[in-house]
């Protein structure tokens, strides 16, 4: 007991000395930092530690909890995208001007300017029946029969039912949808339809050649419903077969743009009107003259 | 019934705390200070009002100091001090010095006046200790920045630190008592 007590008494002054030594040491460190040279040596380490601990650039814990950090990251990402797109826009403007000039030179019959309606998806049906969406724009908003819908990811579907204020769009992912497509790189044509596993299946494939894995699938413009060149998806491989991953799945923004379908009238609808021949014109004028002769006094 | 259950839970926690050794108490206290410090690094405004944040390490220094001078609390206080120096952009060693000073003073104070843990001393001693601590902060900040720094933010911080002390002092009790003087009634 006495031994333990003795140990305690011994330990106490040691701790006390340690406290004084630590205080003196820390004070010494403080004093040393009054020297600019020593401070300059310490500063880089300090800055690094501060970066780790309290840098304002790093999102705080509260920001992470409230999601502010994620929002700010998203804003930065979107700003970068806007900068990139601004660059593309200027390139596109110059290219459009050049294309216009070429078309004028070559006398190309250009496509009519597109006008579309952006609508909100109000209802989505993807049960065992049809995969379709209901959008809040109809005939009154300028949606036309047979219009097709697209979002940022690509082709969404086509209008199968048109109301005054709403329209039902059959999705390309539906089993009953048939979209004539082509490979962007391979140029091969096929018909695409939706399947049970959220991937598209290609049918009516050409006998020779095959789609390239990873290439984009675009509408081929055949059939006259979808214009050529709309992105539908990308070729992926599943279970040894090439399938199409739909691009529309990438952006689930809740809005679609309804574009009028490509309406190219058949030749029969607008037959060429025969220009009146010279003989007919003469006969007509001859037929008209006697009338004047019969009434010479007419004014 | 629910009240009884709540009381049971509280008594269970207090029993656990009573049985906890100094090491566990020290770790819990350290984690608490670290948590308060980390939250303090985040923007602290409520309804567009800037919040004053307590100096949790000082609460720990006062609390741990009441159990006497020991090595482990000193080491932890120096570590916390370095973190405070870095986050507050103070000269290195500044907060370590303040924390250790308060720790030593708290130990000396308890040894001299608070052996019986009288409530009045328990209430008044921290006020004196925090006053000394914040005076040191003011002094060192003024020396380091080359001009006399504002006193009012430090007074606000001191008040908030004292409030935190009142709320969380038991967390920083290591469970060791400085031996009462011979012949006392305790």
């Amino acid at each position: 007991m006495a031994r333990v007590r003795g140990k305690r008494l011994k330990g106490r002054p040691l701790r006390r000395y340690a406290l004084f030594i630590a205080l003196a040491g820390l004070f010494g460190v403080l004093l040393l930092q009054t020297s600019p040279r020593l401070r300059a040596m310490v500063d880089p380490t300090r800055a690094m530690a501060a970066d780790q601990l309290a840098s304002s650039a790093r999102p705080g814990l509260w920001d992470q909890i409230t999601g502010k950090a994620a929002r700010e990251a998203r804003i930065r990402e979107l700003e970068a995208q806007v900068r990139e797109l601004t660059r593309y826009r200027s390139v596109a403007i110059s290219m459009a001007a050049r294309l216009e000039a070429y078309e004028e030179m070559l006398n190309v019959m250009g496509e009519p300017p597109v006008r579309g309606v952006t609508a909100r998806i109000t209802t989505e049906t993807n049960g065992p029946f049809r995969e379709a969406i209901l959008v809040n724009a109809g005939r009154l908003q300028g949606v036309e029969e047979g219009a097709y819908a697209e979002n940022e990811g690509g082709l969404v579907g086509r209008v199968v039912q048109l109301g005054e204020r709403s329209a039902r769009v059959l999705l390309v992912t539906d089993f009953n949808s048939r979209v004539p497509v082509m490979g962007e790189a391979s140029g091969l044509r096929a018909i695409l339809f939706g399947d049970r596993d959220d991937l598209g299946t290609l049918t009516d494939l050409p006998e020779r050649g095959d789609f390239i894995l990873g290439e984009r699938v675009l509408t081929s413009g055949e059939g006259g419903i979808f214009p050529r060149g709309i992105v539908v998806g990308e070729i992926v491989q599943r279970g040894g077969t090439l399938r199409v991953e739909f691009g529309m799945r990438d952006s689930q923004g809740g809005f679609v743009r309804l574009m009028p379908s490509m309406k190219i009238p058949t030749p029969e609808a607008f037959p060429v009107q025969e220009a009146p021949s010279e003989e007919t014109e003469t006969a007509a004028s001859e037929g008209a003259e006697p009338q004047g002769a019969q009434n010479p006094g007419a004014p | 019934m629910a009240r009884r259950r709540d009381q049971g839970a509280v008594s269970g926690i207090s029993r656990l705390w009573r049985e906890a050794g100094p090491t566990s108490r020290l770790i819990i206290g350290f984690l608490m200070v670290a948590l308060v410090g980390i939250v303090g690094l985040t923007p602290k405004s409520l309804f567009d009002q800037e919040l004053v944040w307590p100096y949790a390490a000082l609460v720990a220094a006062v609390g741990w100091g009441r159990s006497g001078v020991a090595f482990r609390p000193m080491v932890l206080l120096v570590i916390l001090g370095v973190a405070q120096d870095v986050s507050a952009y103070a000269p290195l060693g500044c907060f370590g010095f303040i924390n250790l000073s308060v720790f030593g003073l708290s130990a000396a104070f308890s040894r001299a006046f608070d052996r019986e843990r009288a409530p009045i001393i328990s209430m008044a001693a921290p006020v004196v200790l925090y006053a000394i601590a914040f005076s040191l902060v003011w002094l060192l900040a003024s020396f380091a920045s080359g001009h006399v720094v504002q006193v009012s933010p430090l007074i606000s911080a001191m008040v908030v630190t004292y409030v935190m002390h009142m709320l969380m002092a038991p967390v920083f009790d290591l469970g060791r008592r400085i031996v009462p003087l011979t012949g006392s009634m305790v």
Side-chain angles (χ1 to χ4, degrees), chain A residues 5 7 49-50 60-61 65 68 100 153 158 178 209 240 266 268 286 296:
Chain A
R5 200 155 185 184
K7 248 187 182 179
L61 184 71
I65 292 166
K68 192 181 168 194
E100 203 179 327
R158 66 187 171 89
R178 295 287 183 276
T266 54
E268 297 82 36
E286 275 173 2

Side-chain angles (χ1 to χ4, degrees), chain A residues 202-215:
Chain A
L202 293 162
T203 180
D204 295 322
L205 290 157
E207 285 179 7
R208 285 184 184 179
D210 215 344
F211 281 87
I212 301 162
L213 190 66
E215 78 170 316

